[in-house]
């Protein structure tokens, strides 16, 4: 709206100038108040029509669905330890290390793992990897289409995101073939973007819906992951961590720019923001897929990942704050930033090991958002975000409980958090919801939504928390 008003004024000025140039002689010869009134009304109409035809279209979240695997795919510590020993590919030290990481990870005993682990296979091949990715995608899409009632033929845009698995033909092609989508459907496939790929996919779809000149009404965004082929079978500790925190998950989202669907939509996308620090070497290598010394492929999570995430989040906040904070908080944040600059330098000089989070100025985002879906990358990540942004545990509750129940589901994680808030019935009409996700590279991505109706457990009964929400939140985590 802030950008729309200047546009409207500019169009009004240009149309008035055009009318003046055409009728300047007439105005000089016959200055009449009725003609002047008509001229202004004409200019106003032209400006209004120009504004309405050029303003961005509203992007609405019609509905979403999260993948819930079968109960026989649940995996606690005992199952993980049995699988690790059965493979015979880890040293005793590596087994003890993974067990220790799992116990401190914040994951509970009901997260889900790929089917190959229960079939006696020692590792996932290409068939198992495709099976895992396709299962999560298709079940989520089936649920979504069933409860929205939108026919698959109405989908004009398809965006599929999978952080670590990129087969050929692509996963987008898999869905095009399975659902018989029209030949005119524009399809995009995102990969290699880590846990932020889901938020990035929604941002891409929203940009197309807002600005496309061709007729695009419905965008289907599907986010999944295939952790099976990325299971690490070596002894490099920086790569073993991924075995302990990543779990099976997936989700589907249906977006639309059709104003007639506003009454049925759940939320409206208010703003999106993506920032990256790929030019910085430490950020680029913070989470990196590579081979270890023995030639075994895995994803290494560096020791400075938390520091990189904190630095990326601080830079992201500086860009996001002016766009979402109320004026009172924005002025306070600006004042604190200016007054603490010298203090930070003095504190760093006095104690080089002191965390910058302890002295940095941070805006109070609780004044901008009623709910936050914070990146559930791991217990340490959630705690670091909470510490940096001065968030109480109740604010990060959805992230902590999602990590406990589902683990790190990568690109779909923020949607499991939204499902938690819906299952609790906490989002009310008019509330603002902030989704925050980190990704390899290193990226920080945000989506800001405004609720169009109160949240509640889905009538269709497909909320992934439906059978366990009564047990949450946990008192100890």
């Amino acid at each position: 709206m802030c950008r729309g008003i200047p546009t409207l004024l500019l169009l009004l000025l240009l149309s008035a100038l055009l009318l003046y140039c055409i009728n300047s002689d007439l105005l000089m010869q016959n200055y009449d108040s009725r003609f002047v009134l008509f001229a202004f009304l004409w200019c106003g109409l032209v400006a209004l029509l120009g504004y309405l035809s050029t303003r961005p279209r509203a992007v609405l979240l019609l509905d979403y669905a999260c993948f819930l695997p079968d109960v026989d795919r649940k995996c606690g510590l005992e199952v993980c330890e049995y699988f690790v020993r059965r493979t015979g590919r880890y040293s005793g030290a590596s087994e003890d290390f993974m067990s220790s990481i799992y116990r401190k990870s914040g994951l509970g005993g009901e997260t889900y793992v790929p089917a190959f682990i229960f079939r006696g296979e020692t590792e996932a091949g290409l068939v198992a990897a495709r099976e895992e990715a396709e299962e999560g995608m298709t079940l989520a899409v089936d649920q979504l289409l069933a409860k929205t009632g939108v026919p698959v033929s109405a989908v004009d845009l398809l965006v599929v995101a999978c952080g670590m698995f990129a087969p050929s033909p692509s996963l987008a092609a898999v869905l095009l073939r399975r659902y018989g989508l029209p030949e005119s459907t524009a399809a995009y496939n995102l990969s290699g973007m880590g846990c932020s790929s889901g938020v990035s996919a929604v941002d891409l779809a929203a940009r197309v819906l807002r600005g496309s000149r061709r007729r695009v009404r419905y965008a289907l965004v599907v986010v999944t992951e295939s952790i099976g082929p990325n299971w690490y079978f070596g002894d490099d500790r920086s790569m073993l961590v991924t075995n302990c925190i990543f779990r099976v998950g997936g989700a589907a989202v249906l977006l639309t720019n059709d104003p007639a669907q506003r009454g049925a939509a759940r939320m409206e996308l208010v703003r999106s923001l993506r920032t990256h620090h790929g030019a910085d070497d430490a950020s680029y290598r913070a989470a990196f897929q590579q081979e270890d010394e023995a030639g075994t492929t895995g994803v290494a999570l560096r020791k400075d990942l938390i520091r990189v995430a904190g630095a990326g989040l601080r830079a992201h906040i500086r860009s996001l704050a002016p766009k979402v904070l109320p004026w009172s908080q924005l002025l306070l944040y600006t004042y604190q930033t200016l007054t603490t600059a010298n203090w930070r330098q003095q504190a760093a000089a006095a104690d080089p090991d002191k965390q910058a989070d302890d002295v940095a100025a941070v805006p109070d985002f609780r004044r901008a958002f009623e709910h936050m879906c914070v990146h559930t990358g791991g217990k340490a990540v959630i705690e670091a975000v909470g510490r940096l942004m001065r968030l109480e545990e109740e604010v990060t509750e959805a992230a902590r409980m999602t990590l406990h129940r589902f683990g790190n589901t990568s690109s779909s994680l923020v949607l499991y958090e939204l499902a938690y808030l819906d299952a609790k019935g906490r989002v009310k009409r008019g509330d603002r919801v902030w989704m925050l996700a980190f990704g390899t590279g290193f990226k920080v991505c945000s989506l800001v939504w405004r609720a169009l109706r109160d949240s509640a457990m889905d009538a269709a009964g497909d909320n992934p928390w439906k059978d366990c929400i009564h047990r949450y939140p946990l008192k100890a985590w």
Side-chain angles (χ1 to χ4, degrees), residues 365-417:
F365 278 104
R366 294 169 300 177
R367 302 296 182 91
F369 310 111
E370 283 73 29
H371 310 281
M372 300 184 190
C373 298
V374 178
H375 178 85
T376 57
K379 187 174 183 178
V381 174
I382 297 174
E383 291 177 341
V385 172
R387 182 175 61 252
L388 187 149
M389 299 184 62
R390 319 283 201 269
L391 302 177
E392 295 88 353
E393 286 194 349
E394 64 181 22
V395 180
T396 61
E397 177 186 318
R400 292 183 292 109
M401 298 307 104
T402 298
L403 181 66
H404 181 272
R405 177 63 180 84
F406 295 100
N408 184 342
T409 62
S410 189
S411 53
S412 60
L413 48 87
V414 291
L415 292 168
Y416 284 91
E417 292 182 60

Side-chain angles (χ1 to χ4, degrees), residues 223-244:
V223 291
T224 187
E225 193 52 85
S226 186
I227 65 173
N230 294 290
W231 194 282
Y232 175 64
F233 293 97
D235 291 312
D236 188 318
R237 292 194 171 188
S238 68
M239 299 184 186
L240 288 170
V241 175
T242 58
N243 294 350
C244 305

